[in-house]
Amino acid sequence: MVSSKDVAKHAGVSQTTVSRVLNTPELVKKPTIDKVMKAIQELNYIPNAHARSLVQNKTYTIALLSGPLHNPFFVDTTTAIVNYANSKGYRVNVQFVNDKKLTEAYATAFEQKVDGIILSCILIDDPIFEKLEKMDIPFITYNRKHKNNRQFVEIDNFEAGYLSAKHLIELGHTNIAWVGGPLTMSTFNNRYHGFLKAIKEYQHSVSAEYIIHTDTSKMDVSRAFQKLIHSKNRPTGICAGSDSLALYLMDDAIYANLSVPEDISIIGIDNVDISQHASIQLTTVGSISKENLGFLAINKLIELIENKKNSCVKITESVRIYSRKTTRKI
Amino acid sequence: MVSSKDVAKHAGVSQTTVSRVLNTPELVKKPTIDKVMKAIQELNYIPNAHARSLVQNKTYTIALLSGPLHNPFFVDTTTAIVNYANSKGYRVNVQFVNDKKLTEAYATAFEQKVDGIILSCILIDDPIFEKLEKMDIPFITYNRKHKNNRQFVEIDNFEAGYLSAKHLIELGHTNIAWVGGPLTMSTFNNRYHGFLKAIKEYQHSVSAEYIIHTDTSKMDVSRAFQKLIHSKNRPTGICAGSDSLALYLMDDAIYANLSVPEDISIIGIDNVDISQHASIQLTTVGSISKENLGFLAINKLIELIENKKNSCVKITESVRIYSRKTTRKI
DNA sequence: TAACAAAATGAATACGTAACCATTTTTGGT
DNA sequence: ACCAAAAATGGTTACGTATTCATTTTGTTA
């Protein structure tokens, strides 16, 4: 591999000068710069980022621990995160974490000595959190958060759940189901409690007979759906804990020969990009702001990295209903 | 930052021994291992991957230059690539490349001294190709390929285009449009020529009045669609150059109050995961094999990296029709 | 032209690890 | 108990860069 020493020799200067040409050319005479640049071209020299990291203790690398892309929420956030980070000169190490081997994912992130970590997949009570804090690397969570989280970006999950239920109630639904993910995740937890609040507000007229907390895999959701539609008192509307779940439910509904929303209304939360597609037109609750949650988070993370200010970043975006075609008056 | 030297001092051994405990523990006595491990725990030591890279000239990092995730094809491939690479102990540096700043993307990949590069975004005539070869880093393309490509994984694009047109012809369509991406990309190029072949085979009875090669952005596709439906002789079926384009076209069709497939048939190519969703059920052409194209490519790339065998990898997967709900008899 | 400041360059070093070679300790066979 | 071989450990170096400090060259002023 051709190194800066090789370039130096070839150009008849010191390695120091080569380094200067690349980093502080204003300290180098023009003819010297030319000589060195010529040598760089001729030898096809490319500086080694690892060696630089070693001496500068700065890697220009960020670890992203994302949920899987079959969840469209993570499609949107991953895009926003990677693109913004790249535009700021950072490389992004991506891992798609299933909650099983989270620890492993962290390990590889730590070895890289990344400048920062951005993650979604953390549980309210996750023991990994303390390890993260010990690392003394800036990190931020988006979407989900830990109970002790100091840096996070989320939507107002409680309000989202509340608005979701209220939307169906106001459309006249009186038997509403909840299908959400594990309550160990802050998102589903808060959304569910928001949902409950709305139901309770209308307790005289509305009931939620079916509350299902399921795993987020397609199969588990299908199982939940089957349970729902074969129940004696089939709900007329389902509040899904996320758009991803809502899409799964729509899939199940259609394959069960139920029309959405004619036979059953479905509402999601997150307002993922794909929910707007004409073939889907999912009614959902999402951030008022157009800024993607991932963008907000990576933005703040890079600020933390570069300013080293220990300021707390706690962002909770307001939400609103995006009323589309998967819910209807009853 | 705590280094192996710190651990060594704390454990009363040499740095060499610490290194051995982590890499070749079979060469170290049990009690010594225990001492060292204890020190590692106590100091919360994590080895520095960059330093290791420097001395071993091996980074366990792969650069992935993918197309954007709003194209569902890249959702599927990115998932497959990242997950497989991680399972093999490789980190993946992801970049979502728009064709403008491709060069920049390569630059950062090169600086990382990655072990290998996996990329989709390359043009048939791309000048970057020679730089890539010069780098002497194993690389492989998936989906698209360069005219001189030695390592690639693709589907049989010509056949795919052919089957796509043939499908509509056999359904009785006689006025069929083509909406594809730039012919500078091997995919669209071959698919288009396959399409043409089918049209020509039935020349007496079928015509393709509208051939549109567009950019792949939503807006450009919409423009193409508008042109099509406002034409004097509106086609009854559209062969889209990819599922991504097909989905855009479906979106446009529905918003233009045209039913798919009642008013217009649309067929894609790629058989992306989302095309199976009950709300979409896109008829498409895709690989017969269940193995994702990205998986095949990363698999081969890691083989190339680890065996250093210079064998050519040229994989062209056979394709078939996946007949769903967006095309109909006429 | 001398004197001195400023600009330009170079030599040596550190970063954290693995690898190589040298040395010490242990083991096993007589 | 002794010796050779094997096992275990340590000292030193290299990887490729940026940085610090020292030295040389250039430019400016009296």
Side-chain angles (χ1 to χ4, degrees):
Chain A
M1 183 188 310
V2 37
S3 72
S4 57
K5 274 181 194 164
D6 301 325
V7 174
K9 197 178 294 175
H10 193 260
V13 300
S14 71
Q15 181 266 328
T16 307
T17 298
V18 175
S19 176
R20 266 196 284 258
V21 167
L22 293 174
N23 297 296
T24 52
E26 67 276 12
L27 297 180
V28 185
K29 264 204 299 190
K30 186 75 197 331
T32 310
I33 293 185
D34 294 342
K35 265 195 303 185
V36 171
M37 289 309 286
K38 183 157 164 262
I40 288 178
Q41 297 286 336
E42 285 176 6
L43 298 183
N44 194 27
Y45 165 70
I46 295 174
N48 185 316
H50 296 100
R52 185 186 297 138
S53 296
L54 205 55
V55 56
Q56 292 189 321
N57 201 24
K58 166 91 177 151
T59 63
Y60 284 100
T61 303
I62 288 170
L64 164 59
L65 307 185
S66 169
L69 292 184
H70 59 70
N71 181 339
F73 175 81
F74 292 116
V75 170
D76 302 348
T77 52
T78 298
T79 295
I81 290 167
V82 169
N83 286 342
Y84 183 77
N86 284 343
S87 80
K88 287 291 182 182
Y90 288 83
R91 290 172 269 274
V92 183
N93 249 287
V94 180
Q95 298 188 68
F96 300 119
V97 182
N98 60 5
D99 292 298
K100 313 277 149 134
K101 43 184 186 172
L102 194 52
T103 326
E104 214 175 300
Y106 285 108
T108 69
F110 292 159
E111 285 202 350
Q112 279 275 90
K113 306 289 177 200
V114 293
D115 291 343
I117 302 179
I118 179 168
L119 66 151
S120 169
C121 31
I122 196 163
L123 306 180
I124 296 177
D125 250 321
D126 213 317
I128 199 76
F129 183 78
E130 307 198 345
K131 285 196 185 175
L132 263 169
E133 293 237 297
K134 255 203 221 157
M135 292 302 301
D136 205 32
I137 295 176
F139 72 96
I140 193 169
T141 70
Y142 62 99
N143 199 33
R144 299 193 217 157
K145 67 183 177 189
H146 186 268
K147 61 181 178 187
N148 298 330
N149 238 121
R150 285 152 33 87
Q151 329 272 3
F152 62 79
V153 176
E154 62 174 0
I155 60 169
D156 188 336
N157 287 303
F158 185 89
E159 181 74 5
Y162 177 76
L163 288 181
S164 162
K166 201 173 167 202
H167 174 78
L168 288 188
I169 291 170
E170 286 175 348
L171 286 176
H173 292 263
T174 53
N175 185 9
I176 302 172
W178 169 264
V179 178
L183 296 184
T184 50
M185 304 177 184
S186 66
T187 43
F188 292 122
N189 197 301
N190 292 330
R191 291 170 186 186
Y192 171 60
H193 285 105
F195 167 85
L196 276 190
K197 181 189 171 204
I199 298 293
K200 281 184 186 150
E201 273 186 14
Y202 294 83
Q203 209 155 18
H204 58 289
S205 56
V206 175
S207 75
E209 215 167 317
Y210 286 95
I211 305 287
I212 305 187
H213 307 298
T214 171
D215 261 0
T216 54
S217 78
K218 173 97 176 102
M219 227 183 56
D220 287 310
V221 177
S222 288
R223 203 170 294 142
F225 182 80
Q226 291 305 323
K227 191 168 156 198
L228 277 183
I229 61 163
H230 292 123
S231 60
K232 203 162 57 185
N233 199 7
R234 177 201 292 175
T236 58
I238 308 178
C239 290
S242 71
D243 281 359
S244 176
L245 295 180
L247 290 171
Y248 283 154
L249 292 170
M250 283 176 70
D251 203 51
D252 290 327
I254 295 168
Y255 281 122
N257 270 323
L258 294 176
S259 296
V260 180
E262 287 72 15
D263 298 318
I264 192 160
S265 287
I266 296 178
I267 178 171
I269 296 177
D270 278 337
N271 190 30
V272 298
D273 288 353
I274 191 79
S275 67
Q276 296 177 50
H277 193 279
S279 302
I280 295 180
Q281 300 196 57
L282 175 66
T283 298
T284 185
V285 183
S287 174
I288 289 176
S289 155
K290 285 214 165 175
E291 301 294 9
N292 180 278
L293 221 52
F295 170 80
L296 293 173
I298 188 67
N299 209 307
K300 288 300 174 190
L301 178 63
I302 290 180
E303 261 183 30
L304 285 171
I305 290 171
E306 298 192 338
N307 298 336
K308 297 284 184 194
K309 54 176 161 185
N310 256 341
S311 63
C312 276
V313 175
K314 292 182 193 291
I315 297 181
T316 301
E317 291 281 298
S318 302
V319 292
R320 72 172 182 87
I321 283 278
Y322 289 84
S323 188
R324 304 204 179 96
K325 301 287 178 66
T326 57
T327 53
R328 69 157 187 135
K329 266 217 170 94
I330 210 159
Chain B
M1 183 189 308
V2 37
S3 72
S4 57
K5 274 182 195 164
D6 301 325
V7 174
K9 196 178 295 175
H10 193 259
V13 300
S14 71
Q15 181 268 328
T16 305
T17 298
V18 175
S19 175
R20 266 195 284 257
V21 167
L22 293 175
N23 298 296
T24 52
E26 66 276 12
L27 298 180
V28 185
K29 265 203 300 190
K30 186 75 198 328
T32 310
I33 293 185
D34 294 341
K35 265 195 302 184
V36 171
M37 290 309 284
K38 182 155 163 265
I40 287 179
Q41 297 286 335
E42 286 176 6
L43 298 183
N44 194 27
Y45 165 71
I46 295 174
N48 185 318
H50 295 101
R52 184 186 298 141
S53 296
L54 204 55
V55 57
Q56 292 190 321
N57 200 24
K58 166 92 178 151
T59 63
Y60 285 100
T61 304
I62 287 169
L64 163 59
L65 307 185
S66 168
L69 292 185
H70 59 70
N71 181 339
F73 175 80
F74 292 115
V75 170
D76 302 349
T77 52
T78 299
T79 295
I81 291 167
V82 169
N83 286 342
Y84 182 77
N86 284 343
S87 81
K88 286 291 181 182
Y90 288 82
R91 290 173 269 273
V92 183
N93 251 291
V94 179
Q95 297 189 67
F96 300 119
V97 182
N98 60 7
D99 292 298
K100 313 276 149 138
K101 43 186 185 169
L102 195 51
T103 326
E104 214 176 301
Y106 285 108
T108 70
F110 292 160
E111 284 202 351
Q112 278 277 89
K113 306 289 177 200
V114 293
D115 291 344
I117 301 179
I118 179 168
L119 66 152
S120 169
C121 31
I122 196 162
L123 305 180
I124 297 176
D125 251 321
D126 213 317
I128 199 76
F129 183 78
E130 307 198 345
K131 285 196 185 177
L132 262 169
E133 293 237 295
K134 254 202 222 158
M135 290 303 301
D136 205 31
I137 295 177
F139 72 96
I140 193 170
T141 69
Y142 62 100
N143 199 35
R144 299 193 216 157
K145 67 185 178 187
H146 186 268
K147 62 181 177 188
N148 298 330
N149 238 121
R150 285 153 32 87
Q151 329 272 5
F152 62 80
V153 176
E154 62 175 1
I155 60 169
D156 188 336
N157 287 303
F158 185 89
E159 181 74 6
Y162 177 75
L163 289 182
S164 160
K166 202 172 168 201
H167 174 78
L168 287 187
I169 291 169
E170 287 175 346
L171 286 177
H173 292 263
T174 54
N175 185 10
I176 301 173
W178 169 264
V179 178
L183 295 184
T184 49
M185 304 177 184
S186 66
T187 44
F188 293 122
N189 197 301
N190 292 333
R191 291 170 185 187
Y192 171 62
H193 285 105
F195 167 86
L196 275 189
K197 180 189 171 206
I199 298 292
K200 281 184 185 147
E201 272 184 16
Y202 295 82
Q203 208 155 19
H204 57 292
S205 56
V206 175
S207 76
E209 216 166 318
Y210 286 95
I211 305 286
I212 304 186
H213 306 298
T214 171
D215 261 1
T216 54
S217 78
K218 172 97 177 102
M219 226 182 57
D220 287 310
V221 177
S222 288
R223 203 171 295 142
F225 182 80
Q226 291 305 322
K227 191 169 157 198
L228 278 184
I229 62 163
H230 292 126
S231 60
K232 203 162 56 188
N233 198 6
R234 178 200 292 176
T236 57
I238 308 178
C239 289
S242 71
D243 282 358
S244 176
L245 294 180
L247 289 171
Y248 283 155
L249 292 170
M250 283 176 71
D251 203 51
D252 290 327
I254 295 169
Y255 281 122
N257 270 322
L258 294 176
S259 295
V260 180
E262 287 73 15
D263 298 319
I264 192 160
S265 286
I266 296 177
I267 177 171
I269 296 176
D270 278 337
N271 190 29
V272 298
D273 288 353
I274 190 79
S275 68
Q276 296 178 49
H277 193 278
S279 302
I280 294 178
Q281 299 196 57
L282 175 67
T283 297
T284 186
V285 183
S287 173
I288 288 176
S289 155
K290 285 214 165 177
E291 301 294 10
N292 179 278
L293 221 52
F295 171 80
L296 292 173
I298 188 67
N299 209 308
K300 288 299 174 192
L301 178 63
I302 290 180
E303 262 183 28
L304 285 171
I305 290 172
E306 298 192 338
N307 298 337
K308 298 283 184 194
K309 54 177 162 185
N310 256 341
S311 63
C312 277
V313 176
K314 292 182 194 290
I315 297 181
T316 301
E317 291 280 299
S318 303
V319 292
R320 72 172 182 87
I321 284 278
Y322 289 83
S323 188
R324 304 203 180 95
K325 302 288 178 67
T326 58
T327 52
R328 69 156 187 136
K329 266 218 169 97
I330 211 158

